[in-house]
């Protein structure tokens, strides 16, 4: 079915002249109409398209005045299109017939011959009521979707199972909960679970990013303001505590609340009372508070940046989320879920992970946790050239354009035959270790190529994964060896680069040992 942009009215009457008169009257008011001559045609029209209102006659058979045909049509219209406002018309009106029609769901009753002004007023009212009812149903559906459409929660690892058991015990209460964990571990998802499993699930879950609220608008955002409270306050504003009344208020990044605003937040948590900015009227609120932060609030309290009494109000119960590197059993299920979601979003159906990709995912240390995994799978869904995604198609790291695992975040495999950490396999191409790339920042721009790797040019530093004994035996004239694990170049080495091994007798070496006293003379 299709809905017209302009309001469209269904006209059901067995007399063509009546339908034409109504069409011309409605057309003068900018209302489109579709005329039919009987109940069967009216039902078929309703099945094919949406109407804003229906004007139906109660009698269609000649010499019939009982109105039964119209009442049966009214029942059928209510069954097929419950949201359609229906106005009944008849030239044989009486009070019992009008009452029966209204009882069956008619919006109004019009007698023929009609008064044009009254008929147009009734039609406009019914169209407005129908639009309002549709808008209300749409908002209710959206709210239900937002409340029930929380992110998928996968908890197969023992660490996450313990977390979910704690959530299940804590959620039914109204106790304030503080969710702790690194960035990207899913603190917002846990807040949604706490709300969904609580007695307040039918009410609103209001989320506030405390790190994104400027100090000068904190009161207005959290408590609201009245008109004229400050220069640009041209209308009233409802604060977050008022919006969350009866529901749950989620304060994300609560460690970023400015110290000057913490006493105001403490008061509403203790007493449940607040005043809008610019008003002296005290208002009450009933909210369940869920907070989240990646900061160590105990350290913040010791440093004087966070109030101890406010912390006690926030952490009635604490839920600590483990990082993804401690949830190995969840990595692959999460990856498949994210890949399926991204594939559906971008129309790449049929994507799946190859065994090499799964091994690479398990080997990565996930500094960005679940958020990083989600972004990685989204990039893979966009950039994969085949349905089977291999490890070479996984762009690890922020903004990475190619595949492979960076050495700095690899989980080393100590199984026999797999090689020790930092050791290159025989015959395999050498990879630039993360330590080399980090050290590239400390060299002058003219000594570091655009791709950021420190490559050898006779007078430059080459980073190789070689044992210290081999580095000590480096030919002095090559200026090509640099043992990168454990030493940082001293300032004199940044002017020009030779061999970095501190025992190198080369006259070109400026010395890289951190202690200046042990630097060999030039």
């Amino acid at each position: 079915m299709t809905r017209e942009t302009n309001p469209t009215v269904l006209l059901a009457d067995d007399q063509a002249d009546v339908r034409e008169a109504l069409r011309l009257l409605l057309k003068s008011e900018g209302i489109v109409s579709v005329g039919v001559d009987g109940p069967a045609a009216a039902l078929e029209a309703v099945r094919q398209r949406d109407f804003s209102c229906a004007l139906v006659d109660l009698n269609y058979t000649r010499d019939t005045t009982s109105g039964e045909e119209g009442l049966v049509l009214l029942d059928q219209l209510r069954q097929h299109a419950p949201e359609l406002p229906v106005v009944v018309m008849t030239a044989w009106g009486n009070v019992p017939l009008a009452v029966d029609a209204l009882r069956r769901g008619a919006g109004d009753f019009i007698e023929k011959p009609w008064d044009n002004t009254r008929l147009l007023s009734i039609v406009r009212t019914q169209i407005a009521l129908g639009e309002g009812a549709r808008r209300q149903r749409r908002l209710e559906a959206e709210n239900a979707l937002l409340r029930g459409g929380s992110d998928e929660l996968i908890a197969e690892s023992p660490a996450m199972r313990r977390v979910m058991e704690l959530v299940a015990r804590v959620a039914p209460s109204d106790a304030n909960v503080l969710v702790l964990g690194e960035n990207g571990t899913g603190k917002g998802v846990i807040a949604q679970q706490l709300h969904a499993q609580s007695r307040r699930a039918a009410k609103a879950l209001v989320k506030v990013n405390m790190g994104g609220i400027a100090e000068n608008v904190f009161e207005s955002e959290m408590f609201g303001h009245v008109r004229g409270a400050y220069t640009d306050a041209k209308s009233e504003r409802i604060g977050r505590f008022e919006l969350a009344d009866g529901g749950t208020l989620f304060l994300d990044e609560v460690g970023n609340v400015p110290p000057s605003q913490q006493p105001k937040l403490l008061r509403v948590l203790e007493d449940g009372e607040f005043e809008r900015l610019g008003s002296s009227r005290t208002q009450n609120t009933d909210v369940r508070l869920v907070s989240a932060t990646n900061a160590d609030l105990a350290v913040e309290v010791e440093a004087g940046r966070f109030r101890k009494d406010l912390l006690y109000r926030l952490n009635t119960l604490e839920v600590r989320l483990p990082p993804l590197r401690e949830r190995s059993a969840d990595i692959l299920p999460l990856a498949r879920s994210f890949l399926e979601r991204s594939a559906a979003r971008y129309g790449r159906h049929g994507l799946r992970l190859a065994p090499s990709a799964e091994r690479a995912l398990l080997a990565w240390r996930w500094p960005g946790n679940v958020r990083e995994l989600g972004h990685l799978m989204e990039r893979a869904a966009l950039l994969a050239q085949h349905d089977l995604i291999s490890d070479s198609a996984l762009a690890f790291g922020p903004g990475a354009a190619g595949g492979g695992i960076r050495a700095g975040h690899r989980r080393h495999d100590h199984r026999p035959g797999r090689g020790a950490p930092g050791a290159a396999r025989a015959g395999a191409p050498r990879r630039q270790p993360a330590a080399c790339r980090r050290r590239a920042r400390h060299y002058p721009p003219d000594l570091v190529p655009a791709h950021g790797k420190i490559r050898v040019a006779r007078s430059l530093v080459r980073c190789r994964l070689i044992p210290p004994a081999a580095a000590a035996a480096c030919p002095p004239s090559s200026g090509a060896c640099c043992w990168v694990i454990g030493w940082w170049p001293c300032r004199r080495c940044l002017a020009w680069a030779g061999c970095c091994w501190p025992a190198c007798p080369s006259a070109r070496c400026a010395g890289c040992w951190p202690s200046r006293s042990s630097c060999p003379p030039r």
Side-chain angles (χ1 to χ4, degrees), residues 29-84:
E29 296 297 318
I31 301 174
V32 181
S33 61
V34 175
V36 295
D37 59 359
L43 291 174
E44 183 63 24
V46 169
R47 291 190 186 100
Q48 293 182 356
R49 63 190 296 180
D50 284 347
F51 292 95
S52 302
C53 181
L55 282 172
V56 299
D57 191 19
L58 290 181
N59 300 295
Y60 294 90
T61 304
R62 196 175 188 84
D63 298 329
T64 300
T65 61
S66 64
E68 284 298 323
E69 293 174 299
L71 294 177
V72 172
L73 175 59
L74 175 61
D75 292 338
Q76 293 173 333
L77 289 175
R78 300 301 297 170
Q79 181 179 358
H80 287 88
E83 73 283 355
L84 177 65

Side-chain angles (χ1 to χ4, degrees), residues 263-393:
K264 302 169 186 176
L265 187 60
L266 178 63
R267 183 208 169 192
V268 69
L269 294 181
E270 288 180 341
D271 304 330
E273 297 179 347
F274 67 94
E275 292 88 24
R276 287 186 180 181
L277 185 63
S279 172
S280 58
R281 184 169 65 90
T282 300
Q283 296 182 239
N284 296 321
T285 184
D286 173 28
V287 298
R288 197 258 184 96
L289 198 67
V290 178
S291 309
T293 182
N294 63 342
D296 190 339
L297 293 185
V299 174
E300 296 294 308
V301 169
E302 291 295 329
R305 293 186 293 267
F306 203 86
R307 293 177 62 106
K308 184 183 295 186
D309 48 1
L310 178 58
L311 176 60
Y312 291 155
R313 283 290 176 179
L314 296 177
N315 70 343
T316 304
L317 292 166
E318 285 189 0
V319 176
R320 292 185 178 272
L321 288 182
L324 187 57
R325 59 184 174 272
E326 298 177 7
R327 301 169 51 189
S328 299
D330 294 333
I331 293 177
L332 293 184
L334 282 169
R336 296 187 186 106
S337 175
F338 287 137
L339 182 61
E340 181 181 358
R341 188 184 310 173
S342 298
R345 178 180 179 184
Y346 298 114
R348 298 291 306 275
H349 301 285
L351 292 178
R352 63 189 188 279
L353 295 171
S356 61
E358 294 182 351
R359 289 193 297 269
L361 292 173
L362 292 174
W364 187 245
R365 291 196 60 80
W366 301 111
N369 293 296
V370 180
R371 184 181 294 119
E372 180 185 1
L373 177 58
H375 291 172
L376 177 66
M377 291 297 100
E378 184 174 4
R379 287 198 298 267
L382 283 170
L383 302 177
Q385 298 179 354
H386 308 286
D387 288 345
L388 189 62
I389 299 176
S390 63
D391 59 343
S392 60

Side-chain angles (χ1 to χ4, degrees), residues 145-473:
L145 182 63
L146 290 173
R147 292 187 186 121
S150 59
D151 294 337
E152 183 178 4
L153 182 61
I154 294 177
E156 297 183 6
S157 63
M160 278 304 296
R161 287 177 182 174
R162 289 192 294 270
V163 169
M164 295 313 300
E165 290 173 0
L166 178 60
V167 168
R169 293 197 302 269
V170 169
S173 70
D174 283 340
N176 295 336
V177 179
L178 178 62
V179 185
L180 303 172
E182 297 179 6
N183 282 328
T185 50
K187 297 185 288 294
V189 178
I190 294 299
Q192 292 176 352
Q193 291 294 320
L194 287 167
H195 176 70
Q197 299 179 34
S198 70
R199 294 190 295 268
R200 301 171 181 261
K203 299 293 184 178
L205 169 62
V206 179
K207 304 176 184 179
V208 188
N209 181 10
M210 306 304 291
I213 299 180
E215 185 173 358
N216 58 338
V217 296
F218 180 87
E219 284 188 83
S220 176
E221 289 288 336
M222 299 304 298
F223 310 124
H225 64 249
V226 298
R227 182 178 180 181
Y230 51 89
T231 304
D232 293 331
K234 299 179 181 179
S235 61
E236 289 190 355
R237 178 185 177 88
I238 297 177
R240 306 302 176 90
F241 274 96
E242 194 170 350
L243 284 173
D245 189 26
T248 304
L249 182 62
F250 176 45
L251 304 182
D252 197 9
E253 302 298 340
V254 71
N256 293 330
V257 177
S260 60
Q261 305 299 329
Q262 292 176 18
K264 302 169 186 176
L265 187 60
L266 178 63
R267 183 208 169 192
V268 69
L269 294 181
E270 288 180 341
D271 304 330
E273 297 179 347
F274 67 94
E275 292 88 24
R276 287 186 180 181
L277 185 63
S279 172
S280 58
R281 184 169 65 90
T282 300
Q283 296 182 239
N284 296 321
T285 184
D286 173 28
V287 298
R288 197 258 184 96
L289 198 67
V290 178
S291 309
T293 182
N294 63 342
D296 190 339
L297 293 185
V299 174
E300 296 294 308
V301 169
E302 291 295 329
R305 293 186 293 267
F306 203 86
R307 293 177 62 106
K308 184 183 295 186
D309 48 1
L310 178 58
L311 176 60
Y312 291 155
R313 283 290 176 179
L314 296 177
N315 70 343
T316 304
L317 292 166
E318 285 189 0
V319 176
R320 292 185 178 272
L321 288 182
L324 187 57
R325 59 184 174 272
E326 298 177 7
R327 301 169 51 189
S328 299
D330 294 333
I331 293 177
L332 293 184
L334 282 169
R336 296 187 186 106
S337 175
F338 287 137
L339 182 61
E340 181 181 358
R341 188 184 310 173
S342 298
R345 178 180 179 184
Y346 298 114
R348 298 291 306 275
H349 301 285
L351 292 178
R352 63 189 188 279
L353 295 171
S356 61
E358 294 182 351
R359 289 193 297 269
L361 292 173
L362 292 174
W364 187 245
R365 291 196 60 80
W366 301 111
N369 293 296
V370 180
R371 184 181 294 119
E372 180 185 1
L373 177 58
H375 291 172
L376 177 66
M377 291 297 100
E378 184 174 4
R379 287 198 298 267
L382 283 170
L383 302 177
Q385 298 179 354
H386 308 286
D387 288 345
L388 189 62
I389 299 176
S390 63
D391 59 343
S392 60
L394 299 179
F396 287 95
I405 300 181
R406 296 185 299 176
H409 293 283
R410 176 184 288 146
R411 290 184 179 181
H412 301 298
D413 196 341
H414 295 275
R415 290 177 293 176
R418 296 292 180 175
R425 295 184 185 178
R430 299 184 188 273
R431 289 182 178 178
Q432 288 291 334
C436 290
R437 294 196 294 272
R438 288 197 298 269
R439 283 167 172 78
R441 300 194 303 266
H442 297 275
Y443 284 85
D446 59 329
L447 295 183
V448 181
H451 48 65
K453 296 180 179 179
I454 308 173
R455 306 285 299 209
V456 85
R458 289 225 178 233
S459 61
L460 297 185
V461 175
R462 172 188 284 177
C463 291
R464 288 184 176 178
L465 291 175
I466 56 178

